[in-house]
Amino acid sequence: MQIEINKVELRNLQIEDYKQLKISMQHAYNDMEEPYWTEKDIEKLLKIFPEGQLVILVDGKVVGSALSLIVDYKKATSVHTYDKITGNSSFKTHDYDGEVLYGIDVFIHPEYRGLRLGRRLYDARKELCEQLNLKSIIFAGRIPNYNEHAKDLTPKQYIDKVRLKELHDPVLSFQLSNDFHVIRVMRNYLEGDKSSQEYAVLMEWNNIYYDKSPKLINTRKSVVRLGLVQWQMRPLANLEALFEQAEFFIDAVSGYGSDFALFPELFVAPLMADFNHLSEADAIREISRYCEPIKKRFQEMAISYNINIITGSMPLFENGHLYNVGFLCKRDGSSEMYSKIHITPNEVHYWGMKGGSEIKTFDTDCGKIGIMICYDVEFPELSRLMSDEGMEILFVPFLTDTQNGYTRVKHCAQARAIENECYVAIAGCVGNLPRVNNMDIQYAQTAVFTPSDFAFPSNGVKAETTPNTEMTLIVDIDLDLLKELHEYGSVRILKDRRHDLYKIKKVTPAKAETTENKTTKK
């Protein structure tokens, strides 16, 4: 990715966005005459249907938009022109009693294409269609590459070849990949569209939740899809080889619509092979320099694949101390760091690692989550504090070398799911790693655990992988079931705690250090 991105935002269009909107449209439609809407046009759209006008911003700059109307289904599916369906840009065709969300424009600035930002706009339109209980989304899409094949192919033949992937059209191919189907070919649809020879393809996406009777649709996303990576340790030639393997898994789980991708603890360990002539402590400090490049690349992939990525963990050398940290790279481009609080005796002995000092939860577009690294899950106080802050999903990247170690992680993770009435997802590394001291063997079975009640699996295991085999685990979890459990469960662990007898609270690091010093003096 050539452009460095810090923040991606999708929201409703505002009139203050117009200047940037116009500039992006001019770049997007540089092959058309008068390629932009006037400010008066945008004002009218925002007045009659503000919720239907969307923009996507990168670092505060408008780089794409999707504009829509609600129209009658018969009008939308009949033969029409662009001027007719928009009322010659008066938008008098907008009808709140209509059944169709009609797309009148969608574009992405050319410099920001390839990041799947257009897919976000389409997904937002689909959500709006469901929320408004509309029958479908319909629009007439351009076929800008048709001009190159018009001498040899009719529009119908061209569409068939694009559908069969024998030809590629930047607009039609994208729409077909987003579950839209062709209704008809429109002749003389958009005056001045020379690239498409004024042809357009009328397309439709059907809302499977559409109900003819009035119905309020819950806008909150209750079903969240998790993509867990059971990573095979293998020799890697360089950092790019690590990224290539990681992107393979991110591509795979995002292709199935996962909201999260979870990597294991210290899955970057193969990079230590180049420093195996050094001591274990020096070798792991050498690869800590990769921490920032890894974070940046995962941020890019979170944007590009529209998925929240939990990067497992990696060493970070900071202020003279070595930490075990990871990053939550959100699909909006932002990121937050988490660190391992409890360090195992092995990590202290071989690497001289130090524990982090911040216990926190993270707000995401799929609810509030917690992240703990391996050994931390064996300390129930951490997850209880996170639960008190509203955590619904706990992610645990781990690394264990023996079945004994894995058993501790597994059963403690199951306990955390039960006692905190939340989902717990764990992901680990598998296989052997020659030429890296202190990282010879790994054992893991990636899994998603649930509370134990009638709405959940009787054994508290939603799904799990084959032990010690590289693979992914893709699982749907229903957050609404947690709400029901909190209120109507057979037991109500969170509600039934005896706060009159005991409490757990955070202690600030400074206060904890003072307490420790006093204890030492005694």
Side-chain angles (χ1 to χ4, degrees):
M1 186 172 64
Q2 299 294 322
I3 301 173
E4 185 170 341
I5 293 176
N6 297 310
K7 181 77 172 181
V8 177
E9 180 185 7
L10 192 154
R11 60 166 170 79
N12 287 108
L13 173 66
Q14 302 168 5
I15 194 59
E16 292 78 13
D17 298 322
Y18 177 73
K19 289 184 179 179
Q20 293 183 10
L21 182 80
K22 178 181 176 180
I23 292 170
S24 288
M25 289 192 73
Q26 287 174 314
H27 285 285
Y29 297 129
N30 57 10
D31 61 337
M32 296 179 62
E33 299 176 6
E34 297 182 355
Y36 57 86
W37 295 95
T38 67
E39 190 169 5
K40 289 184 178 179
D41 292 333
I42 297 300
E43 286 178 340
K44 282 188 285 186
L45 273 175
L46 293 177
K47 184 177 181 180
I48 63 172
F49 189 31
E51 59 266 49
Q53 319 315 323
L54 306 170
V55 286
I56 196 158
L57 295 86
V58 172
D59 296 335
K61 175 184 174 182
V62 175
V63 301
S65 180
L67 310 178
S68 308
L69 299 172
I70 297 177
V71 300
D72 177 79
Y73 185 78
K74 289 183 179 180
K75 289 182 180 179
T77 54
S78 64
V79 176
H80 58 268
T81 64
Y82 190 71
D83 285 339
K84 184 177 179 180
I85 202 69
T86 61
N88 291 311
S89 299
S90 69
F91 311 121
K92 291 180 179 179
T93 50
H94 179 73
D95 179 8
Y96 261 114
D97 294 325
E99 305 96 335
V100 169
L101 186 68
Y102 193 100
I104 61 172
D105 204 349
V106 62
F107 69 89
I108 296 293
H109 190 296
E111 292 180 8
Y112 295 87
R113 291 171 185 168
L115 294 172
R116 297 175 175 83
L117 300 181
R119 187 180 297 272
R120 296 198 192 199
L121 289 170
Y122 273 63
D123 288 344
R125 265 187 179 167
K126 291 174 183 178
E127 291 178 10
L128 180 63
C129 182
E130 293 173 0
Q131 292 166 14
L132 296 177
N133 192 31
L134 298 174
K135 184 175 183 178
S136 63
I137 300 173
I138 292 178
F139 58 81
R142 302 172 64 224
I143 42 176
N145 280 6
Y146 178 62
N147 194 46
E148 302 171 11
H149 304 275
K151 291 183 180 179
D152 304 313
L153 301 172
T154 65
K156 182 181 182 302
Q157 291 171 330
Y158 178 80
I159 293 168
D160 288 339
K161 285 187 174 293
V162 173
R163 184 190 286 119
L164 295 172
K165 301 186 184 301
E166 295 176 13
L167 293 175
H168 175 78
D169 185 279
V171 177
L172 181 58
S173 297
F174 176 75
Q175 292 160 347
L176 290 171
S177 69
N178 276 274
D179 301 321
F180 284 84
H181 62 269
V182 176
I183 300 176
R184 68 173 79 241
V185 176
M186 311 281 278
R187 186 189 298 270
N188 301 321
Y189 179 73
L190 180 60
E191 185 176 351
D193 184 6
K194 296 178 182 179
S195 298
S196 308
Q197 296 202 350
E198 297 188 357
Y199 285 104
V201 183
L202 194 65
M203 308 192 74
E204 182 177 20
W205 174 83
N206 297 108
N207 175 15
I208 63 172
Y209 301 109
Y210 174 67
D211 186 350
K212 292 182 180 179
S213 62
K215 182 179 180 180
L216 292 175
I217 297 180
N218 185 3
T219 59
R220 177 182 176 275
K221 186 172 186 177
S222 64
V223 176
V224 176
R225 182 162 293 178
L226 311 181
L228 281 54
V229 178
Q230 187 157 288
W231 179 275
Q232 171 79 45
M233 290 294 205
R234 54 167 63 80
L236 296 171
N238 49 40
L239 186 59
E240 280 302 318
L242 178 90
F243 290 146
E244 182 179 342
Q245 187 65 23
E247 186 167 8
F248 165 79
F249 284 114
I250 292 169
D251 186 14
V253 299
S254 69
Y256 286 98
S258 297
D259 297 294
F260 290 94
L262 172 64
F263 284 83
E265 178 186 21
L266 294 178
F267 74 102
V268 301
L271 297 174
M272 284 196 287
D274 289 343
F275 310 103
N276 209 38
H277 59 285
L278 303 175
S279 69
E280 291 91 341
D282 289 337
I284 198 166
R285 280 163 175 76
E286 285 291 334
I287 70 164
S288 68
R289 66 191 184 195
Y290 297 133
C291 187
E292 185 63 21
I294 291 172
K295 184 189 80 167
K296 285 187 177 180
R297 183 63 71 89
F298 274 88
Q299 278 183 284
E300 293 175 4
M301 289 190 283
I303 295 171
S304 182
Y305 289 95
N306 192 22
I307 189 170
N308 301 301
I309 302 174
I310 298 163
T311 65
S313 80
M314 60 204 74
L316 170 67
F317 191 68
E318 187 175 63
N319 298 324
H321 296 293
L322 183 70
Y323 299 94
N324 191 351
V325 307
F327 300 92
L328 168 61
C329 297
K330 301 180 185 178
R331 48 185 156 201
D332 68 359
S334 63
S335 68
E336 296 183 76
M337 190 175 80
Y338 52 88
S339 59
K340 191 170 186 176
I341 305 296
H342 300 89
I343 305 301
T344 65
N346 181 286
E347 290 170 312
V348 175
H349 176 74
Y350 286 98
W351 295 331
M353 215 164 241
K354 183 179 176 66
S357 57
E358 187 175 13
I359 304 167
K360 60 180 180 178
T361 53
F362 304 89
D363 291 312
T364 74
D365 53 10
C366 297
K368 185 160 286 192
I369 69 168
I371 306 173
M372 297 196 301
I373 301 175
C374 196
Y375 193 33
D376 285 338
V377 80
E378 298 174 31
F379 297 84
E381 297 88 350
L382 295 187
S383 58
R384 180 49 54 86
L385 289 168
M386 294 176 182
S387 178
D388 286 342
E389 294 180 4
M391 174 189 69
E392 296 175 294
I393 312 170
L394 175 61
F395 291 95
V396 184
F398 73 92
L399 176 69
T400 52
D401 54 354
T402 65
Q403 286 180 277
N404 296 338
Y406 172 71
T407 297
R408 291 193 296 270
V409 171
K410 174 184 177 181
H411 289 297
C412 288
Q414 285 191 281
R416 304 297 84 88
I418 292 171
E419 66 198 17
N420 295 300
E421 298 178 347
C422 68
Y423 294 100
V424 179
I426 68 172
C429 293
V430 300
N432 305 318
L433 189 58
R435 296 185 57 243
V436 177
N437 293 330
N438 198 38
M439 295 291 294
D440 309 278
I441 59 174
Q442 287 77 36
Y443 181 92
Q445 185 175 21
T446 297
V448 175
F449 303 121
T450 72
S452 183
D453 214 319
F454 295 115
F456 304 94
S458 58
N459 63 353
V461 180
K462 178 70 175 178
E464 56 189 355
T465 62
T466 302
N468 257 21
T469 301
E470 184 171 57
M471 60 188 299
T472 58
L473 183 66
I474 299 174
V475 183
D476 283 346
I477 57 173
D478 190 339
L479 301 182
D480 283 346
L481 293 179
L482 299 180
K483 284 186 173 182
E484 295 178 16
L485 177 67
H486 297 336
E487 299 296 329
Y488 309 112
S490 301
V491 294
R492 299 157 202 178
I493 298 170
L494 294 179
K495 283 182 174 290
D496 291 341
R497 287 177 294 165
R498 291 287 304 274
H499 289 299
D500 58 324
L501 297 178
Y502 56 86
K503 290 182 180 178
I504 298 175
K505 64 178 182 179
K506 291 183 183 180
V507 178
T508 61
K511 187 174 182 181
E513 186 177 345
T514 301
T515 304
E516 183 181 343
N517 290 337
K518 287 180 179 180
T519 305
T520 304
K521 289 178 182 179
K522 287 181 180 179

